Amino acid sequence: MIDIFKVSEKLMGMDDAAWKRHANPWSVYTRFTCLPFIVLALWSRVWLGWWCLMPLAIALLWTWLNPRLFKPPRYTDSWASKGTFGERIFLNRKQIPIPQHHERMALLLAGGSALGMAILSYGLRPLHNI
């Protein structure tokens, strides 16, 4: 079975240096802008037509660049830093097993996100009819 989480990590090119930088709270909190930027770029197709690919490319570049922009944090006791450590632990669960209830909850949350993405995609689809 394909591990979509590992595929995502590979697509993002997340090496140790990128993960250390992504543990910076500035990286974590500014990352929350990625999805709205992508949605806005897709939504702009109503006004921009094929030119919407330009803001989409910029939004995707921002998504890739964000974990690399900030310096590694001096302290890693923040909620944001701990969250990125949790991501890495989850991604490494095949090599070092984690408690089943933690894995189940992470998969449940990911499923909820996937459902939200499906609803979002459905909502963006009919814009050309406006």
Side-chain angles (χ1 to χ4, degrees):
M1 180 189 275
I2 296 175
D3 186 345
I4 192 72
F5 303 105
K6 277 300 212 189
V7 170
S8 176
E9 181 185 29
K10 284 222 185 282
L11 283 173
M12 285 293 297
M14 295 296 286
D15 58 9
D16 283 340
W19 276 109
K20 286 177 185 169
R21 289 173 169 269
H22 186 40
N24 186 317
W26 279 101
S27 175
V28 173
Y29 295 126
T30 57
R31 190 137 179 97
F32 288 120
T33 63
C34 293
L35 182 61
F37 286 161
I38 291 169
V39 169
L40 184 60
L42 292 172
W43 193 34
S44 74
R45 76 184 189 277
V46 173
W47 309 289
L48 302 177
W50 285 104
W51 284 102
C52 76
L53 295 178
M54 186 67 77
L56 180 61
I58 293 168
L60 293 174
L61 176 65
W62 168 245
T63 301
W64 181 86
L65 192 59
N66 174 275
R68 294 160 177 81
L69 278 180
F70 303 93
K71 293 179 181 179
R74 289 187 4 209
Y75 305 102
T76 57
D77 57 349
S78 71
W79 175 89
S81 295
K82 290 176 183 180
T84 60
F85 300 151
E87 286 181 78
R88 290 199 79 185
I89 290 168
F90 178 76
L91 288 169
N92 197 33
R93 70 191 182 285
K94 301 294 186 205
Q95 289 75 33
I96 302 172
I98 60 175
Q100 191 174 13
H101 63 280
H102 289 303
E103 183 174 6
R104 192 175 324 122
M105 184 53 69
L107 293 172
L108 183 66
L109 290 169
S113 293
L115 178 62
M117 287 301 292
I119 294 167
L120 175 64
S121 298
Y122 180 79
L124 284 171
R125 184 186 53 78
L127 279 175
H128 67 280
N129 294 331
I130 296 175

